[in-house]
Amino acid sequence: AGILWRPFMNNMFWNLNSFDNAASFAGETTDVKKTYPRGIFIGLIMTVVFYIVPLMVAVGATDYTQSEWVDGHLGAVAVDIGGSWLGAWTIFAAGISNLALFEAELSADAFQLMGMAERGYLPKVFQKRSRYGTPTTGIIVGTMVIILFGCADFGQLLELLNANYAISLLMEYAAFIKLRLFRKELERPYRIPLPDWAAVLIAVPPCLATIAIILISNWYVYIFTFGAIICGIFFFKVGDIAKRKGWFEYEVKTRGYAMPPMDDSSSRGETFDPSSSDCVNHEGEWEYREDNRIT
């Protein structure tokens, strides 16, 4: 039957994406310089091994055709190989994995919203934490979005999410290159031990692969993506107006290894100075004084 490249590429991309979400939890670690790189490399190895080994066993021990590999088929393969107990265990493990993936994605998105609020891009309400330290408002908003898209067809939803995630990845790669070339003095928790030209070069293959995902998308994906971009610009402008009009309360809170807030001082090339009288150290975190609150 041949390879159906669009669903194949989208499934591969979807199964290997969101690696960058781990950065959302960097502020919750005690030693991000060591913990984050180590976690990324260990996670990469575990992801590759846990994908390849079961699939090699399943494909090598059975003679199912390509058309028979549908949703949930790995459970049937496990029954054929090891009996009903292995099939039940495979389904149970898959269920736990899905719950873990859901929790990880929801938490990462919530921490991203909280981080945007701490940078002054979203209202202060998104900085709110529960008594357990979790970003309450971000979790509520994320849950509402998930419920909204929960009724969509999985195949279509997969392409929609991949296309939008691909755009965000391209922005991340562009930010990586710009910061590497033009913000060398900025303190960062980890620096790739390569010269600048090599650091730029390693970003080229993933950029090309990411662009390929966008190019093979369906027409409705382009419409949705264009609409998402327009909505993003619209809400950014609304946020700007809300700051000026005082509709919501905004407050900038800068932690270690963070770029200076995007205000007039950053446009003049000034950098964040923790020793400045405008900043205080509160419970181990640098934050701006009350008179720097944006209203």
Side-chain angles (χ1 to χ4, degrees):
I3 299 176
L4 303 176
W5 284 105
R6 193 172 71 202
F8 172 74
M9 292 290 291
N10 273 284
N11 275 278
M12 288 291 292
F13 186 75
W14 180 71
N15 279 283
L16 296 174
N17 67 20
S18 294
F19 65 90
D20 52 336
N21 279 356
S24 303
F25 306 99
E28 309 303 306
T29 59
T30 54
D31 189 356
V32 67
K33 288 187 176 182
K34 294 181 179 179
T35 306
Y36 184 71
R38 186 182 303 166
I40 286 291
F41 283 114
I42 294 176
L44 174 63
I45 295 172
M46 292 176 64
T47 300
V48 173
V49 171
F50 292 158
Y51 269 121
I52 291 180
V53 173
L55 286 177
M56 289 180 63
V57 173
V59 173
T62 62
D63 55 358
Y64 289 104
T65 62
Q66 179 179 337
S67 59
E68 293 176 294
W69 280 87
V70 294
D71 296 342
H73 185 66
L74 193 60
V77 172
V79 172
D80 293 342
I81 295 175
S84 58
W85 71 270
L86 184 59
W89 178 257
T90 301
I91 297 300
F92 174 76
I96 297 298
S97 297
N98 284 330
L99 287 174
L101 286 171
F102 172 82
E103 176 62 29
E105 182 68 32
L106 181 63
S107 300
D109 294 343
F111 274 102
Q112 286 178 17
L113 292 174
M114 187 184 71
M116 293 177 67
E118 291 179 347
R119 300 295 302 146
Y121 295 111
L122 291 177
K124 184 184 176 182
V125 66
F126 283 92
Q127 297 184 26
K128 180 178 175 58
R129 290 176 180 254
S130 69
R131 59 176 178 170
Y132 304 104
T134 53
T136 306
T137 308
I139 291 176
I140 294 174
V141 172
T143 303
M144 293 174 60
V145 173
I146 291 172
I147 293 174
L148 180 64
F149 283 95
C151 59
D153 175 74
F154 178 74
Q156 294 179 347
L157 186 61
L158 190 69
E159 290 193 45
L160 295 176
L161 294 177
N162 280 348
N164 285 271
Y165 181 70
I167 292 176
S168 69
L169 275 184
L170 292 176
M171 295 174 66
E172 289 179 19
Y173 294 138
F176 163 71
I177 293 174
K178 182 173 182 178
L179 291 174
R180 183 62 185 252
L181 297 180
F182 302 106
R183 297 297 298 272
K184 298 178 184 293
E185 80 289 348
L186 188 67
E187 188 177 6
R188 34 187 43 94
Y190 182 77
R191 184 181 179 88
I192 298 177
L194 292 173
D196 290 348
W197 65 268
V200 173
L201 191 63
I202 63 174
V204 173
C207 283
L208 294 177
T210 303
I211 293 173
I213 292 295
I214 299 175
L215 294 178
I216 65 174
S217 298
N218 211 331
W219 61 269
Y220 57 80
V221 175
Y222 293 121
I223 296 177
F224 180 85
T225 303
F226 179 75
I229 294 174
I230 296 300
C231 286
I233 297 173
F234 171 77
F235 284 117
F236 181 80
K237 296 296 184 182
V238 169
D240 243 4
I241 297 173
K243 288 180 184 180
R244 294 197 301 267
K245 301 289 187 180
W247 294 344
F248 303 102
E249 184 180 7
Y250 291 78
E251 184 179 5
V252 177
K253 179 190 295 183
T254 304
R255 303 186 180 196
Y257 306 116
M259 289 186 66
M262 298 300 293
D263 55 11
D264 293 338
S265 62
S266 60
S267 65
R268 294 192 299 268
E270 298 178 9
T271 57
F272 172 72
D273 181 12
S275 63
S276 169
S277 59
D278 291 334
C279 306
V280 292
N281 187 289
H282 177 64
E283 296 181 355
E285 296 179 358
W286 288 107
E287 60 183 33
Y288 279 82
R289 290 186 185 276
E290 200 71 17
D291 54 0
N292 274 0
R293 179 174 298 178
I294 303 174
T295 55

